[in-house]
Amino acid sequence: MFSERAAPAAQGLLGPPSAEPPTFPRVPVLGYSDCSGPFRPGERSFGRQYAHVYAVRLAGMRPPLERRARGRWGNDVVLRKLSELQAGEKCCVVGTLFKAMQLQPSILQEISEEHNLVPQPPLPKYIQPSDELILEDELQRIKLEGAINVQRLVTGTILAVYGSEQDDGRFLVEDHCFADLPPPLPWNGPSSDRFVLLASGLGLGSGSGEALLSTQLLVDVVTGQLGAEGEQSCAAHISRVILAGNLLSQNTQSRDTINKAKYLTKKTQAASVEAVKMLDEILLQLCTSVPVDVMPGEFDPTNYTLPQQPLHRCMLPLSSPYTTLHLVTNPYQANLDGVRFLGTSGQNVSDIFKYSSMDDYLEILEWTLLAGHISPTAPDTLGCYPFYKSDPFILTECPHVYFCGNAPRFQSKLLQGAEGQRVLLVTVPDFSTTQTACLVNLRDLTCQPITFSSFGAEDED
Amino acid sequence: VTYKWLSYTLGVHVNQAKQMLYEYVERKRKENSGAQLHVTYLVAGNLPQNGHMCHKVAVVREDKLEAMKSKLSTIASVHVYSIQKALLKDSSPLYNTDYDIVKTNLHNCSKFSAIHCDAAVPRMPPDIPRAQTSLQGSSQRENETDAPSAPAVNGHGLPAAKHPSQQHKGIMGMFAAKAASKPQDTNKETKAEAPGVSTASSKPPTKNNIINNFFGKAAMNKLKISPAPEQPKEEKEVVKPTVAVAEPESSPNPVVEKPGKRTESAKIQQKDRKSKMKRVDRSDNEEERDPENAKRKRKRIKQLESDSSDEEDVPPPPTPEEEKALSPPPVSALKTELEPAAMEVSVGGRKRKRKRVLKSKMFIDEEEGCM
């Protein structure tokens, strides 16, 4: 789509200079509204226990789940709480899942003196055949067995199970269901081609120069310096750029400051300082030409717990005066030109990847959408703010574009829902390794990857 | 030589730069001049990959150009990326060239681009810490509308932009910043002496930085009005700060400053109001330099006001304030340029206003002295 429009004028620049080359005005932003209000905590007190998160999550998701259960198993299905269960009666229970995993890194085990264990090295996946599923609600818990895929599910999911309690105290599951897609949002998309560029994992400060030229090429394409006239006019239709996390590379997380004594590391500058300066310059180039949304990621200088707060304006002195720069939270939600975007920098998906048998990032993304929650593993294995009033990660409305950053490769899928929802799922690849970004066409919800490459010492491309 | 480097150096649109490179290559090849030119091209197009139509953008050497073109199913654009004499092993020299040229032109990086975004104007927030950026923003817009002299303007844009990050350190930090940025400013100024307008238009933001630190919100409104009417007046005054700052930085002696000030005053004496300014200039100078000795200076200032001779160049207190000594001459010079100009903008009660402003300044100084 992008390329076909540009093709006619492809060879135009292989010729003598023309009189006055055209300048294309950037398509103006029709409508932008930031909907990530729920992701900014008003007060920041960490004095509460995390159990409240599960309580509000259950309370928030119980009504839609009950509706869904009735729809699936009949209107007269008996809905019970765990405390009201009677043996042998077929009923439906709504609760939170807990997966007891042997390999799960536990802080208590680590500091346990009697075991004298060395801390467990990080594994790619922590699942084991001996994992068990337990369903919890407000007061009790019960072990689950039966027609339920233990490997696939993760802790923190709210679901409804249909089955009966056995004599030995376990619950035999016959069927289960999730909250499924939330109710759809009205579609106000643009009528002409408008693109949004999604990129993540720029990985600045890594010390490898290969990705730097590709990053520069990316900036050049977006700002309209690269390419013949056709391509430049197409690039003028890019109405926004979203950088989904991991702007700095993992190398900037220098562990020296933690391990070494303070007097040894006093004079050395953190690697992230240089990387942030580079980021500032790149952002400045982008900001002078296109609105940019910057989301923090796992290795970026902001808080660790989800929802990550925006990078601070003072770190980017050159580019922050521009109104086109928007520093936004990690799960980011916004209405761009009438299309609702929702996405994260990938921490939720990679966490589920570690604790579930699902291997495909797109599959995981789709599953979180169906489960109705952005990151079910949040307080358990992923850092999270102790919410107690409401859980902002519950999906209440169905976005039109749902993305996650820092995936190993690019994937996209258009999901059609039962109530007429259309969601474009995009896994944005890590730019520093793949040199690929995504172009989403807002008009028809299609997505095209765009790769950059340069030539290196070796002969082949 | 990349197309971007050419575009910035010559001040042409990027597309024209690409076409120029192409024409150069064609001509040289036709002439068979013997010097081997190596060209890299940029190819972009659709490439079926992993089941999707991937839009690929690649920089390729000339010998790989045809191979890449054949791989792409539709070609979106082809143009010359760079020309060099030697065969490039990898693309890092290309990146370095581009990086350097972009770094020196950071604030105008979209000027020669093919896409112009109306929304990308620096914002003007109301509160002080970001006031410097706002004034720089307005000056940048002025710069854009003025006759574009890109290198000079960019040089100012860059040090001007660095100020907001340093303002938070307070006065000391601000002086250090001024000292650091001033040499840059002067370098660019001496290079581009002729376009006085463009250099002058960047002066208000740097002045306003200092003045904001001292005046606070009260003076902000005045300052915002002042940059506009000041531009035409400042063409001659541009030379003054140049001279003042051109003093060797390593010797922040009062002796050094004196000749600096004398040359300032000599040039100022071209006009009457400038001589008055100079008086205020020196008073400001002393005030800024030593807030602790505010009382002592205030007396001198009052004496200065009553006098009208140039030789009342009272030596500043010999306090060892190395960083401050550097910046006060240009700082005060710049400040006073704005000051009396602003005052003269108002029609009546000129002298009254000047004294009022001075008193408020002294009040603030006293405050700072007490702090």
Side-chain angles (χ1 to χ4, degrees), chain A residues 3-4 14-15 17-19 24 26 216 220 223 225-228 231-232 281 288-289 321 449-451 453 456, chain B residues 3-4 15-16 18-19 22-23 46 54-55 57 59 77 79 89 91 99 103 109-110 113-117 123:
Chain A
S3 327
E4 276 91 29
L14 289 176
S18 51
F24 304 99
R26 172 84 60 189
Q216 191 62 45
D220 285 344
T223 56
Q225 301 191 347
L226 215 59
E231 184 151 353
Q232 285 168 344
E281 283 159 15
T288 50
S289 171
I450 176 166
T451 349
S453 70
Chain B
Y3 74 94
K4 214 193 285 187
N15 286 351
Q16 278 186 325
K18 293 169 201 165
Q19 286 166 330
Y22 181 73
E23 200 185 344
N46 258 349
C54 180
H55 184 84
V57 178
V59 176
S77 56
H79 66 78
K89 286 257 162 41
S91 40
Y99 181 75
K103 213 164 160 145
C109 38
S110 278
S113 156
I115 300 181
H116 176 71
C117 181
R123 65 174 110 214

Side-chain angles (χ1 to χ4, degrees), chain B residues 130-184:
Chain B
R130 283 175 276 170
Q132 289 81 11
T133 52
S134 74
L135 292 162
Q136 285 151 32
S138 60
S139 78
Q140 276 179 357
R141 256 178 273 124
E142 289 165 5
N143 291 343
E144 299 285 328
T145 53
D146 287 345
S149 54
V153 165
N154 290 331
H156 294 298
L158 206 49
K162 282 191 185 140
H163 289 159
S165 56
Q166 289 154 334
Q167 289 306 339
H168 302 286
K169 290 185 211 152
I171 302 170
M172 299 295 283
M174 185 270 293
F175 282 145
K178 283 296 321 155
S181 62
K182 270 292 144 208
Q184 272 176 299

Side-chain angles (χ1 to χ4, degrees), chain A residues 216 225 281 284-286 288 318 322, chain B residues 2-12 14 97-113 140 144 148-159 161 184 188:
Chain A
Q216 191 62 45
Q225 301 191 347
E281 283 159 15
L284 178 65
Q285 291 176 47
L286 278 177
T288 50
L318 294 173
Y322 285 88
Chain B
T2 64
Y3 74 94
K4 214 193 285 187
W5 186 90
L6 194 68
S7 153
Y8 279 116
T9 321
L10 297 181
V12 295
V14 283
T97 322
D98 277 347
Y99 181 75
D100 290 333
I101 196 74
V102 169
K103 213 164 160 145
T104 51
N105 290 323
L106 260 183
H107 277 270
N108 277 348
C109 38
S110 278
K111 210 154 173 191
F112 304 114
S113 156
Q140 276 179 357
E144 299 285 328
S149 54
V153 165
N154 290 331
H156 294 298
L158 206 49
Q184 272 176 299
K188 306 281 185 206

Side-chain angles (χ1 to χ4, degrees), chain A residues 43-352:
Chain A
E43 44 147 34
R44 290 156 198 244
S45 71
F46 282 81
R48 289 206 179 77
Q49 297 254 342
Y50 280 97
H52 300 287
V53 181
Y54 289 115
V56 291
R57 195 184 287 177
L58 186 57
M61 291 191 68
R62 192 183 274 276
L65 262 176
E66 287 182 353
R67 259 200 317 268
R68 191 70 60 179
R70 283 192 212 283
R72 195 169 163 134
W73 299 310
N75 247 338
D76 52 350
V77 70
V78 185
L79 285 166
R80 290 222 184 273
K81 298 246 171 92
L82 280 179
S83 48
E84 305 159 356
L85 273 184
Q86 292 158 18
E89 184 201 5
K90 283 211 193 302
C91 58
C92 160
V93 185
V94 173
T96 316
L97 265 184
F98 175 75
K99 189 154 125 176
M101 290 182 287
Q102 210 178 6
L103 287 179
Q104 182 177 355
S106 160
I107 188 74
L108 297 175
Q109 277 179 350
E110 279 182 26
I111 62 176
S112 159
E113 273 136 6
E114 54 200 59
H115 287 263
N116 270 357
L117 282 176
V118 282
Q120 189 183 359
L123 293 173
K125 276 199 184 290
Y126 292 100
I127 54 176
Q128 262 206 328
S130 62
D131 296 337
E132 288 182 329
L133 277 182
I134 297 167
L135 188 73
E136 295 187 3
D137 69 357
E138 292 94 348
L139 300 173
Q140 290 188 351
R141 47 160 43 192
I142 193 165
K143 227 176 225 180
L144 292 179
E145 60 184 14
I148 195 160
N149 188 345
V150 178
Q151 300 300 314
R152 206 162 176 263
L153 297 172
V154 288
T155 308
T157 324
I158 314 278
L159 79 167
V161 290
Y162 182 68
S164 58
E165 188 186 357
Q166 301 298 301
D167 295 329
D168 58 355
R170 294 172 192 236
F171 193 89
L172 186 65
V173 179
E174 289 170 23
D175 197 10
H176 68 281
C177 82
F178 300 105
D180 213 358
L181 291 176
L185 279 176
W187 170 255
N188 274 338
S191 47
S192 62
D193 266 348
R194 267 162 191 278
F195 298 96
V196 171
L197 185 79
L198 287 171
S200 81
L202 289 181
L204 297 172
S206 64
S208 93
E210 178 54 41
L212 286 177
L213 181 62
S214 308
T215 319
Q216 191 62 45
L217 287 177
L218 172 71
V219 172
D220 285 344
V221 168
V222 175
T223 56
Q225 301 191 347
L226 215 59
E229 282 174 18
E231 184 151 353
Q232 285 168 344
S233 73
C234 282
H237 286 278
I238 296 181
S239 65
R240 204 163 196 98
V241 173
I242 300 182
L243 295 176
N246 275 354
L247 306 158
L248 305 187
S249 91
Q250 198 171 4
N251 298 354
T252 62
Q253 310 281 303
S254 57
R255 295 275 151 199
D256 281 351
T257 47
I258 300 173
N259 295 340
K260 278 197 191 160
K262 203 73 175 177
Y263 66 93
L264 287 172
T265 58
K266 209 171 188 172
K267 288 283 173 68
T268 59
Q269 212 182 36
S272 50
V273 174
E274 198 53 50
V276 171
K277 278 194 209 155
M278 233 191 300
L279 175 69
D280 199 17
E281 283 159 15
I282 289 179
L283 281 180
L284 178 65
Q285 291 176 47
L286 278 177
C287 283
T288 50
S289 171
V290 70
V292 184
D293 294 335
V294 183
M295 287 167 60
E298 199 182 335
F299 306 124
D300 291 330
T302 182
N303 57 323
Y304 165 72
T305 55
L306 283 195
Q308 280 183 305
Q309 296 307 301
L311 298 173
H312 200 276
R313 186 180 47 83
C314 68
M315 283 197 290
L316 308 168
L318 294 173
S319 40
S320 46
Y322 285 88
T323 49
T324 44
L325 178 75
H326 298 105
L327 298 165
V328 294
T329 55
N330 184 352
Y332 172 54
Q333 195 173 177
N335 273 332
L336 301 178
D337 296 335
V339 178
R340 172 73 70 102
F341 273 71
L342 173 63
T344 64
S345 300
Q347 288 120 317
N348 52 337
V349 178
S350 56
D351 203 53
I352 296 175

Side-chain angles (χ1 to χ4, degrees), chain A residues 344-355 358 360-365 368 374-375 377 382 402-405 407 427:
Chain A
T344 64
S345 300
Q347 288 120 317
N348 52 337
V349 178
S350 56
D351 203 53
I352 296 175
F353 175 81
K354 276 193 267 183
Y355 296 102
M358 291 189 277
D360 196 15
Y361 268 56
L362 191 70
E363 191 189 342
I364 297 178
L365 198 65
T368 58
I374 299 178
S375 79
T377 57
L382 191 60
Y402 185 43
F403 64 92
C404 88
T427 56

